[in-house]
Amino acid sequence: MASYLPEDVVVKILSRLPPKCLIRFKSVSKRWRALIGNPDFLSKNLLNHSILTQNPSRPLRLILFLATEKYVAGEQIHFFHSFRSYDSLRCASQAPMNFPPLTRHFEIVASCNGLLCLWDQKLDDIYQWNPATSSDLEALPRAPSRCHTRRRVPFYDFSVGFGFDSGSNDFKVVTLVDTGEDGWLEAEIYSLRSGSWRLLDMKVNFEMLSISQTAALDGVFLWYDDFRFGDCVADDRIVAFDFTDEEFRIMQSPDARLFCDYGQYTRTLTELKGSVAMMVFPYDDRKKNYLDIWVMLEFGVSESWTRLLIIQLPLHLERPLMFWKNGELFVENSEGQVVLYDLLAQTEMNLQFGGSRVTSKVVDCNFVQFEEMGSGVIPTLSCSSRLHYATQSNEIE
Amino acid sequence: MANNGENPSPDVGGKTVKLKADDGEIFEVEEAVAMELQTVKSFFDDDGVSYDTVVPLLNVSSTALAKVIQYCRRAVELRAKSGDDEGANEKAREEREGLEAELVREESDEGIKELILAANYLNIKDMLSFLCRAVGDRIKNKSVEYVRRFFVLENDFSPEEEERTRNEVAWAFEGVDAD
């Protein structure tokens, strides 16, 4: 005779399963469908619990807040920063974190196991920086495509990605280079271990006409063409590069026809508990301030894009930046300050950090033990990386 | 009643407790091990219950009880080994994980459910926790039909409803083990 397990035990079993599984098991019975529930930030059910607790945070984690100084005419614009504990958001006081003299043109490409990759967009120089050991930026040798002397239109034909190859325990930088032929892009890859560049065999077709939204997570770097501010086109695509396979993959984003009523909108790619997330919100038009949050529950599977929440934000909270521990959100307000917004309680806390408007960045720095490995110091990996970077910068020249 | 061959008499000197399974078989267990079973602990926490009293565990089969006792005995030993030393703790943790894996490795679906019911009834928190995790791992990539059979559940959806749901979230049905 087959044993029947009581419901509280069933809940215990189900509470450990990943979202994809739970979504499938909603078809088991009506009772299970009710127990598992619908994906949305606000309901407490098994599915939301799974989505929001998939990848528990690890110790030794810091967040780096960056902003550029309020612009003063004629002055060189610099970044200023604050390292804070991921857990408490209090300023990290123990190890002094070094900060290099970054200027306006630097973009933080990504942070990966305590190593940051930066890109000087004016000169197309790429740097690595380890805040725990030095305030010096270490320049990478120039990317082969940048060795030509032609002047290029800024941001339109070159982009940089950064991540970790867990297979070979190596940090890699990848570039996308527009060949100028009908949207075909080439890629170059730099390995920190080898200290050299090589051209990848594969080409990918993707229109890179503007500053791409980018995000980094778990050994993958993503680009998203944020060119269309509000066009209702169904074919928005995301390009993902896997640092272990060294392969590109093209995925769809949520169907943009769903956003037709939004007027002028823009999107940010980010990470939520190890999954790719996308936030849709208004661009310039401040009559209404919605935030539409989607998550790709299974990486690479475009059909698995699931809407988690549409919420009205207070008007002064303009730019969502990054998710925090329990699904709270860092948002930049209209004064350029970083605010922590609790999506469930709909309360906010000003973190007293900010600079010029539309320049805040929040970078998740995961520090693990460092060990010498071959030449130079390369952080070792004890578990896969969880990263985020999203920005939207305005030219204020 | 005679002791089960798998359950040799404990050393003289420690207090023991007698547990009776659903078929009447009696297991004599060291007190420390018996107290891992919260249900047994509560039984003796009541005033006036002497330690000589045989604890009736009507919902637990003797096969399951034997395995539970074996697990708890090892768990108590391992807990005694760990302390302040991080190295020792790490080793103890690894050993416990090995013990857990060993317990479920050869078990059929029916067997593992029996163990869960025993751990649930006997209120052994750690054991129930890892058993639930083990079942989760077992069913993670399984089909809806497999899960219905495992949990003995009726499909109360209409064919149309089921078809509609499967089409809506077809991606969630990819990569599932064949039954």
Side-chain angles (χ1 to χ4, degrees):
Chain A
M1 194 206 76
S3 320
Y4 184 80
L5 296 178
E7 195 171 90
D8 60 332
V9 173
V10 171
V11 168
K12 271 197 171 68
I13 294 170
L14 293 179
S15 69
R16 292 189 172 98
L17 296 177
K20 173 182 176 180
C21 219
L22 290 175
I23 286 176
R24 183 168 74 251
F25 292 167
K26 281 174 76 168
S27 288
V28 166
S29 73
K30 290 187 179 174
R31 182 60 190 149
W32 277 38
R33 184 175 64 181
L35 277 176
I36 290 169
N38 290 321
D40 71 73
F41 243 100
L42 304 181
S43 307
K44 287 193 191 316
N45 57 39
L46 284 169
L47 185 53
N48 292 318
H49 177 261
S50 178
I51 294 172
L52 292 178
T53 61
Q54 277 185 89
N55 295 296
S57 56
R58 287 156 291 135
L60 288 182
R61 205 165 164 194
L62 293 179
I63 301 186
L64 172 59
F65 290 83
L66 296 167
T68 57
E69 291 170 333
K70 296 216 185 299
Y71 180 65
V72 177
E75 300 265 316
Q76 176 95 75
I77 299 171
H78 296 281
F79 284 89
F80 62 99
H81 73 290
S82 174
F83 278 99
R84 305 222 181 169
S85 143
Y86 181 87
D87 270 330
S88 65
L89 293 185
R90 284 199 296 270
C91 285
S93 55
Q94 296 138 316
M97 290 295 156
N98 300 284
F99 197 78
L102 302 183
T103 64
R104 182 77 184 77
H105 299 284
F106 274 92
E107 287 292 319
I108 307 272
V109 176
S111 154
C112 199
N113 295 327
L115 198 61
L116 278 80
C117 176
L118 295 98
W119 171 28
D120 178 340
Q121 292 180 315
K122 201 170 179 195
L123 303 170
D124 269 346
D125 286 325
I126 302 171
Y127 298 88
Q128 52 160 320
W129 168 40
N130 185 338
T133 59
S134 160
S135 62
D136 291 331
L137 297 173
E138 210 180 299
L140 267 57
R142 209 154 170 67
S145 63
R146 300 298 96 185
C147 293
H148 311 312
T149 50
R150 67 188 156 121
R151 256 188 70 83
R152 60 174 195 91
V153 182
F155 313 138
Y156 284 14
D157 67 351
F158 184 71
S159 184
V160 182
F162 177 65
F164 190 81
D165 171 2
S166 50
S168 56
N169 222 30
D170 190 10
F171 290 89
K172 292 178 177 169
V173 176
V174 65
T175 66
L176 281 184
V177 186
D178 193 342
T179 58
E181 290 158 30
D182 278 333
W184 282 100
L185 308 175
E186 275 180 340
E188 305 159 306
I189 192 158
Y190 177 83
S191 136
L192 253 68
R193 271 187 182 281
S194 71
S196 61
W197 289 91
R198 66 193 139 88
L199 195 62
L200 281 183
D201 272 337
M202 196 183 150
K203 284 203 223 281
V204 64
N205 195 302
F206 185 65
E207 280 201 15
M208 194 166 66
L209 298 178
S210 65
I211 302 169
S212 295
Q213 284 290 329
T214 61
L217 68 157
D218 203 8
V220 176
F221 195 85
L222 304 118
W223 287 267
Y224 181 63
D225 186 357
D226 196 26
F227 170 67
R228 302 183 194 83
F229 296 120
D231 283 6
C232 300
V233 221
D235 65 349
D236 279 353
R237 294 173 309 156
I238 297 172
V239 175
F241 182 74
D242 183 313
F243 289 96
T244 309
D245 302 335
E246 293 192 355
E247 284 191 359
F248 285 96
R249 206 167 168 181
I250 298 200
M251 302 178 266
Q252 303 293 323
S253 69
D255 191 337
R257 286 171 296 190
L258 291 166
F259 313 136
C260 273
D261 294 335
Y262 286 172
Q264 292 277 81
Y265 66 88
T266 184
R267 287 145 296 195
T268 285
L269 274 190
T270 181
E271 178 221 337
L272 177 62
K273 301 293 178 176
S275 296
V276 182
M278 192 173 88
M279 299 192 277
V280 185
F281 54 99
Y283 179 81
D284 266 0
D285 178 4
R286 291 291 141 190
K287 292 192 210 65
K288 25 181 196 216
N289 194 13
Y290 54 85
L291 176 63
D292 191 350
I293 302 176
W294 291 73
V295 68
M296 189 192 264
L297 288 180
E298 193 178 351
F299 183 75
V301 178
S302 306
E303 296 80 14
S304 74
W305 276 109
T306 301
R307 173 180 264 147
L308 278 190
L309 185 65
I310 305 184
I311 197 174
Q312 288 291 319
L313 289 183
L315 285 181
H316 61 279
L317 297 182
E318 291 187 342
R319 243 177 11 110
L321 297 171
M322 184 176 102
F323 286 106
W324 192 48
K325 278 199 290 204
N326 297 311
E328 290 115 314
L329 196 57
F330 294 114
V331 191
E332 189 192 69
N333 69 12
S334 47
E335 315 277 294
Q337 296 191 303
V338 179
V339 167
L340 183 65
Y341 189 75
D342 185 326
L343 290 163
L344 276 90
Q346 295 185 31
T347 55
E348 60 181 270
M349 179 170 85
N350 193 314
L351 295 174
Q352 305 298 333
F353 178 90
S356 300
R357 209 172 134 257
V358 196
T359 65
S360 300
K361 306 173 213 283
V362 184
V363 183
D364 190 344
C365 305
N366 291 296
F367 291 101
V368 296
Q369 291 289 63
F370 291 171
E371 251 172 45
E372 296 236 83
M373 284 176 74
S375 56
V377 177
I378 298 182
T380 59
L381 182 72
S382 56
C383 40
S384 46
S385 54
R386 299 280 177 268
L387 316 162
H388 160 82
Y389 170 66
T391 185
Q392 177 189 43
S393 46
N394 256 342
E395 290 289 281
I396 319 172
E397 297 292 12
Chain B
M1 290 287 293
N3 274 334
N4 184 322
E6 287 168 9
N7 180 27
S9 288
D11 287 342
V12 177
K15 267 204 287 214
T16 65
V17 165
K18 292 197 186 68
L19 309 174
K20 183 161 83 170
D22 66 356
D23 60 358
E25 185 168 344
I26 299 210
F27 292 79
E28 193 163 353
V29 188
E30 304 80 47
E31 185 191 334
V33 175
M35 294 308 153
E36 289 286 296
L37 290 53
Q38 291 298 311
T39 306
V40 171
K41 187 165 185 293
S42 307
F43 181 88
F44 287 111
D45 278 347
D46 279 345
D47 290 336
V49 180
S50 112
Y51 276 89
D52 292 328
T53 317
V54 175
V55 186
L57 301 172
L58 301 172
N59 287 339
V60 187
S61 74
S62 45
T63 8
L65 189 54
K67 289 180 189 158
V68 165
I69 290 170
Q70 187 182 40
Y71 170 82
C72 290
R73 196 169 270 149
R74 292 295 322 280
V76 167
E77 280 170 18
L78 284 173
R79 206 177 307 130
K81 273 195 211 171
S82 63
D84 284 331
D85 181 350
E86 218 185 287
N89 277 343
E90 183 64 28
K91 190 161 187 296
R93 195 175 58 79
E94 277 174 18
E95 277 190 62
R96 208 192 63 238
E97 281 174 7
L99 174 67
E100 290 167 359
E102 186 69 43
L103 185 64
V104 300
R105 195 190 335 267
E106 297 296 320
E107 282 296 344
S108 64
D109 287 351
E110 208 42 49
I112 209 173
K113 279 196 285 179
E114 211 186 342
L115 282 175
I116 285 185
L117 288 169
N120 190 41
Y121 174 76
L122 295 169
N123 200 351
I124 312 166
K125 201 156 147 273
D126 285 343
M127 189 177 185
L128 183 60
S129 191
F130 90 77
L131 285 172
C132 287
R133 217 184 317 129
V135 170
D137 286 338
R138 264 192 204 201
I139 64 172
K140 209 158 41 175
N141 292 319
K142 294 285 188 257
S143 68
V144 169
E145 291 76 20
Y146 184 101
V147 169
R148 284 190 192 127
R149 285 198 299 272
F150 186 96
F151 288 93
V152 193
L153 295 169
E154 283 276 327
N155 176 10
D156 52 355
F157 289 114
S158 71
E160 297 80 31
E161 223 175 340
E162 201 172 348
E163 176 83 15
R164 196 183 346 121
T165 309
R166 284 190 188 235
N167 289 334
E168 274 169 10
V169 285
W171 66 272
F173 288 82
E174 301 283 312
V176 166
D177 291 348
D179 278 354

